[in-house]
Amino acid sequence: MKAIKLYLNYAGHCFANAKHVVKGDKDEMIKFHALFALLHHPKKGWILFDTGYTSRFYESTKRYPNKIYANATKVVVTDTDEIKNQIKSIGLETSDIQHIIISHFHADHIGGLKDFNNATMYCTKKAYQKVKEISDLFAFSKGILKDLIPDDIEERLVFIEDFSTSNTDDIFGVTYDLFQDDSVIIYNLPGHAAGQIGVEFETQKEKYFLVADSCWDERAYKEGKLPNSIVRLFFDSWKDYKDSLEKVISYHKKFPDVIIVPTHCSKTTDNLVSNEINMDVL
Ligand SMILES: [Zn+2]
């Protein structure tokens, strides 16, 4: 594998009830940070994995039906939280981001897409098909705000299954070598959302597996603890969710040294994020 450089931080947060995140936990609200990853590839340049929240969340939820989403989920994002402002501190312009890997199309993962007009975007066919299929009226009920999706997405979107080399994998069946150089490996993690993916890569120091929302809490892959099944209401498939989680559990058993990063697990991510961009720490 070619060494990737990594920086992780939050781009805003919302709140979730702990008793929904892990069945049996206390009835209390906890922060659900919108984690993003800034990667640097020696040949491909700057890459984002997900893009967090931006103030566009507020604009797109001003009116019904999307307002129901905002009423149910209090979102906090300031100007300084937005990725386009964070990257300025190291002299990066939004046009320097050449690639965006979209784990899935929920609002807390794609809020910044419209800021990066120069980037090729990568997702699975299933993830995008679902976005196309779902009616504008009900999209919010599945965590999708269509206003956040760039108008020219189809000209810039690349389907991972078409673009990347596939490899067989003992646990996941198939994986994709995104740039055909063994540097960024894509894993299918459907269930929470249709066609959801995670990414695995190695820095000079560690190997990481960013697993998006295939688990919300480290106890999910360490102890098999599931969320409260009420979350099925907005998941794409509870069966696929459990299958994907089983695969992450098996992966963790097989590769205990790889750092697994669930997007919204503060216990994991608080130790990895920093407000100062330094590509040589992680
Ligand atoms: Zn999420």
Side-chain angles (χ1 to χ4, degrees), residues 14 32-34 50 53 103-104 106-109 192 196 212-213 216 234 263-264:
C14 67
F32 240 40
H33 292 286
D50 288 341
Y53 284 119
S103 69
H104 62 297
H106 285 173
D108 52 330
H109 298 256
H192 168 77
Q196 180 180 242
D213 290 29
W216 279 336
F234 79 94
T263 295
H264 304 297

Side-chain angles (χ1 to χ4, degrees), residues 162-223:
D162 295 340
F163 178 78
S164 310
T165 316
S166 62
N167 294 312
T168 50
D169 183 85
D170 288 353
I171 298 168
F172 288 85
V174 64
T175 61
Y176 298 95
D177 178 358
L178 186 62
F179 299 123
Q180 293 100 44
D181 63 357
D182 222 16
S183 63
V184 179
I185 308 299
I186 306 283
Y187 289 76
N188 288 316
L189 296 168
H192 168 77
Q196 180 180 242
I197 49 168
V199 293
E200 178 203 65
F201 52 84
E202 208 166 338
T203 68
Q204 298 282 10
K205 295 180 179 161
E206 301 283 357
K207 192 166 176 178
Y208 293 88
F209 184 14
L210 311 187
V211 296
D213 290 29
S214 64
C215 42
W216 279 336
D217 186 284
E218 60 179 13
R219 285 170 292 163
Y221 73 81
K222 287 181 178 170
E223 302 165 32

Side-chain angles (χ1 to χ4, degrees), residues 1-9 35-42 44-50 99-103 172 175-187 189 197-212 251 255 257-263 268-269 272 278-282:
M1 277 196 179
K2 288 202 177 69
I4 293 286
K5 292 188 178 216
L6 169 69
Y7 168 73
L8 291 169
N9 203 17
L35 184 83
F36 70 92
L38 175 67
L39 311 181
H40 189 265
H41 181 287
K44 300 285 176 183
W46 296 100
I47 305 163
L48 282 173
F49 176 71
D50 288 341
H99 312 274
I100 299 176
I101 304 166
I102 301 168
S103 69
F172 288 85
T175 61
Y176 298 95
D177 178 358
L178 186 62
F179 299 123
Q180 293 100 44
D181 63 357
D182 222 16
S183 63
V184 179
I185 308 299
I186 306 283
Y187 289 76
L189 296 168
I197 49 168
V199 293
E200 178 203 65
F201 52 84
E202 208 166 338
T203 68
Q204 298 282 10
K205 295 180 179 161
E206 301 283 357
K207 192 166 176 178
Y208 293 88
F209 184 14
L210 311 187
V211 296
Y251 177 99
F255 306 108
D257 295 335
V258 178
I259 300 175
I260 292 181
V261 185
T263 295
T268 306
T269 57
L272 300 171
N278 183 337
M279 301 305 294
D280 295 313
V281 175
L282 295 177

